[in-house]
Amino acid sequence: MRTVEEHRAAVAALLSPLPEEEVPLGAAHGRVLARDVTAAVALPGFDNSAMDGYAARWADVRAAPVPLPVVEDIPAGRTDVVPLAPGTVHRIMTGAPLPPGADVVVPVELTDGGTDVVEIREAPPPGSHLRMAGEDIARGAVALQAGSPLGAAQLGLAAAVGVGAVPVRRRPRVLVLSTGSELVAPGQPLLPGQIYESNSRLLVAAVEDAGGEARRLHFVPDDVDQFLATVRAELASADLLVTSGGVSAGAYEVVKDAFRGLGTVEFVKVSMQPGGPQGAGTVDGVPVVTLPGNPVSAFVSFEVFVRPALRRALGHLSPDRLRVPARLTGPLRSPAGRRQFLRGRYDGGTVSQVGGPGSHLVAHLARANCLVVVPEDVTDLPAGADVDVLLIEGALQ
């Protein structure tokens, strides 16, 4: 039986770093930087005011209260700023360039707000309310590191330092295929023994959440020839094929029967629950990961094996889910020799189990916001015991 770590390594080895491409900032949200991005300009680009008020020489205002003539107005965007003469002030707005000679900005709240002559009623310490050129980032410095996901703050920084396009890893193109003669498209009438197909919807969303581009192939019945024909017609356009179902030990396991004949996909048992039966390899040179068919097994298997491999290929510095400690609100049991991934609700340092361990309980999965990880050598844990949990984004609140 393969360990979780061994199978993670096998799946990760299938996917190489994805090619680099350059995209404009408007198309870069959610992408991952392929190379460091340096600042084309310093931030701030010039000394400027952090407040609406009056640019002054501290030597002229230290004896406040004191009246001083206002000889210039400096709105944000003014470019012809003149030096500040001793014994005068310039009225200045937030973000406007600081006049040479000024070493303090007196906020308007500490004055009478005058426009010809202003009374400085209180003087802040020298150097107050100034933003100095380059204090945030220097020109030429690394603004964003390779491997950084590009969210709102990162895109804002890129724009602020004058970057119009960024180098990113291409999104992985993932084919998703569910198998089973019992499957029916949602919305169609069910006959006895049939179920609605849900795994492909689950896995497409999981691929997109991981940063990939997913495409559903129409689910196929348990027919080896039809399965292989469907797969091979689409593989050339993919970086990865993910299947669900057809990998257990019973009869009519179409994925196992089809790929075993090719000799390039290895089917194994992994010491975990749910998700014991797994497969990984290549078909026609394209990486393939085969997941079990029960919805919870498919989801957990994707989280443990496929998601980190996709994110690593995208160049993420931290490809794994955030793992945090928590205290159990109730006792739990786990089978010996298998790492258990239980659905849970994490709340402020505590975690409670959601539903039972059954791999078919998808309604309980939808209410979970984490997976509780129970090591292979642990069979019983009391309430109050410490456990590790994997936080899952996008769970129902």
Side-chain angles (χ1 to χ4, degrees), residues 228 356 361 384 396:
L228 281 176
L361 302 175
L396 296 178

Side-chain angles (χ1 to χ4, degrees), residues 52-53 317 370:
D52 293 338
L317 297 176
C370 70

Side-chain angles (χ1 to χ4, degrees), residues 152-249:
Q154 292 75 28
L155 292 174
L157 173 59
V161 296
V163 175
V166 287
V168 297
R169 296 286 179 190
R170 177 175 60 73
R171 294 185 188 273
R173 299 182 293 251
V174 182
L175 297 177
V176 173
L177 175 61
S178 295
T179 65
S181 296
E182 75 279 15
L183 302 179
V184 175
Q188 301 299 312
L190 289 176
L191 297 176
Q194 293 182 328
I195 62 173
Y196 288 125
E197 196 281 318
S198 61
N199 280 1
S200 66
R201 296 296 182 187
L202 180 155
L203 291 171
V204 163
V207 167
E208 292 171 347
D209 179 67
E213 294 178 347
R215 185 158 63 88
R216 286 175 69 241
L217 299 182
H218 184 71
F219 52 87
V220 298
D222 294 326
D223 179 276
V224 168
D225 292 337
Q226 186 173 344
F227 172 79
L228 281 176
T230 300
V231 166
R232 283 186 145 152
E234 304 288 346
L235 273 179
S237 64
D239 299 303
L240 174 67
L241 168 68
V242 176
T243 70
S244 66
V247 296
S248 295

